[in-house]
Amino acid sequence: MNKVIVFRYYASVKNWDFLLAIGEDFSSIPLNSILRTFPPNFDMENPPFFDRDLSWISFNYRVLMEAKNSSVPLIERLRFIAIYSSNLDEFFRVRVSNIRSIEQIDKKKIRKSTEVSSVLLTQIREVIGNQLEEYGQALQEILKALKEQQIIVQSPIENLSTDNQNELGKYFRTKVLAYLRPYVFDVSEGSPFLNNQLLYLALKLKRDDQTYFAYVNIPSDELPRFYHIKEGDIHHFVYLDDIIRAHIGQVLPTFEIVECIAIKLNKDAELYIDDEYSGDLVEKIEKQIKKRDLGAPSRFLYDGSASEELIEKLAEVFGLGDNDLVTGGRYHNLNDLFQIYNPTSADLEYESLPEVPSKSIDQAQSVMKAMEAQDQLLHFPYQDYSYVLQFFNEAASDSEVTDIYVTFYRMASNSIIGEALISAANNGKKVIVFMELKARFDEANNLKWSERMKAAGIKIIYSMPGLKVHAKVALVKKKDKIYGFFGTGNLNEKTAKIYCDYGLFSCDPRMTHELHQVFKYLHKRKEPAGFNDLIVSQFNAIDQFTALIDREIGHAQAGKEARLIIKLNNLQEKQMIEKLYDAAEAGVDVTVVARSICCLVPGTHGINVFRLVDRYLEHARAFYFHNDGDSELYMGSADWMNRNLHSRIEVCFPLKDEALKQQILDILELQIADNTNVVKLDMELNNVHRTASSEKVNAQSQTRELVRRWNS
């Protein structure tokens, strides 16, 4: 059993002083000695919780599994490689930085916290190190297979024709050279500085028998990472890095180039913003965005072929410790592989699928009229997100509409919804937008849109102290009717093409009245009278979910059928996990579909945990309660994480229409039955593929077929 899990669990539910009994070096202590300090009923084979970070690493490995999957089209496998790389970068920028920050805490206050974080960091490096070996093998296998399809990525420049080498030389001299900023350590004045996440070449130089060290930026943030050249039937994608390497002598003409390697620095990406009511939050956010590039190092990635002398010099110059240094390959930021497009066969990508129209909305020729007739449920990306855009455009132009309220967590950079709201304000509507400024990595874009909408006369309400607003909801008011939009995903037309989410349009008076209370709280800080239909974090989420689970426990104890299906992205909140354990122990059939983090240990009292990674990103949250045949089903924005249930505003909503409720249950059953892309999580955090029966079940492709049938 993993000792890190044990330590982290007891550190969270007891206190740090408890760990004094364990000793100074956790890794060297026999597990049996540690167990003597634990309660007698502690079950080492079924520990209560997985560590959240190790669980996330297990999820990212599931992404890597798709890159290794030979049945996935080649270009798509390359994209999974890019997703894995992007995920890992964010993990180091956020989670590893967070863990390492524990080491800065006063040891007199939390004497053993640094030791726990050190053990966990060692475990993280070991697991990720093993994954990266498989990652490199998978990438080379994909590149080899693409070469057989006459697509060469990472093409050596010297292998190109003279004409094409000349073309690259001209591109370097006329465009690339303008963006390069070389810095020679022992010549230039001032302290060297590396921007967070950006790419550099580190160099060892010679001149007049003296050794110098330098770096030069690879401007992949301003120029394409790849240059496409076609020679005959062969398509070459040449790295910008290699174009610079081939012409580096023109950048530093007075030096002899002895060594040239790629490097990259990840820095702490958390935003440290005081949760206070005074002060200008917008100004704080803007300052913290700028400070991101000044954050503490969380990972210094370098080419493993580098000489020891060069790495020692870089560590000295940038103030890096051994724990900061991570060996990588010739190229970093492989999320840029998303830029590789398919120039040849359609078989190299997923088949393009037309979006399924909504029969009832199209017949009504109006989203609002269709809503007035009955609730409308849309399934993204299987259905066209333009219905959401149509809803906001109708609201902007309808003379009877008086008020529009919207929450934004991540806006699209070219948001049509934002444009519709500006039009609504120009048409005399009262438009109130709650803009979350603390949406990680989207703060700058959200600020940009806030300023545009504010200039158009829209009232912008910014982040609440101590809270994030993660709800995905909107409200449109007429004099005699209120229209509500309830979503599981962001109001973002770009992500709606690749994220599996749901959007419910409803005029249900109880739901829209309660949603109006949510907006009053956000707008005027007016405490809601209470919620009966909606489940809203900060008010009734934990109590209501607990009551729904307790009801299933009651049915099981009475000998009735009892069943729960919990589908979400992340499951970590201790109280909710323990309640699921209670339910399963009482005889409730508990199934969890958790895409990413899952701190619940599968197999505990028979609980099954499934993970689905496929063509689209599973993003929707759904909560099914059998209730002795009178089932209830909720959907919404809330994962069961500490942050979602304790420090965010989230909205979950019921499906009242029996037909719509059955649609979601059918999809959940498909995901549980999937034997092609769903894995079962085991007690060691392994992603275990099922043995496919004679009849294959693929949840996403069959969901699309169901959506088509429901709208035929």
Side-chain angles (χ1 to χ4, degrees), residues 379-443:
H379 304 259
F380 308 120
Y382 309 107
Q383 291 189 276
D384 193 344
Y385 199 74
S386 65
Y387 294 114
V388 177
L389 310 182
Q390 182 180 335
F391 172 69
F392 284 100
N393 283 325
E394 286 183 28
S397 59
D398 190 327
S399 60
E400 296 183 11
V401 169
T402 58
D403 303 77
I404 302 173
Y405 302 84
V406 190
T407 61
F408 283 112
Y409 189 72
R410 298 187 194 279
M411 288 192 74
S413 56
N414 298 307
S415 175
I416 295 175
I417 298 173
E419 298 291 352
L421 295 175
I422 290 172
S423 294
N426 289 339
N427 291 337
K429 321 292 185 191
K430 183 172 81 172
V431 182
I432 298 177
V433 168
F434 190 95
M435 183 67 74
E436 180 52 70
L437 292 184
K438 293 175 286 186
R440 185 184 294 144
F441 307 131
D442 281 275
E443 303 91 351

Side-chain angles (χ1 to χ4, degrees), residues 350-370:
Y350 289 129
E351 177 187 2
S352 178
L353 300 173
E355 293 161 325
V356 178
S358 169
K359 182 180 179 181
S360 54
I361 295 178
D362 286 349
Q363 286 178 342
Q365 296 186 330
S366 162
V367 177
M368 290 187 180
K369 287 181 180 178

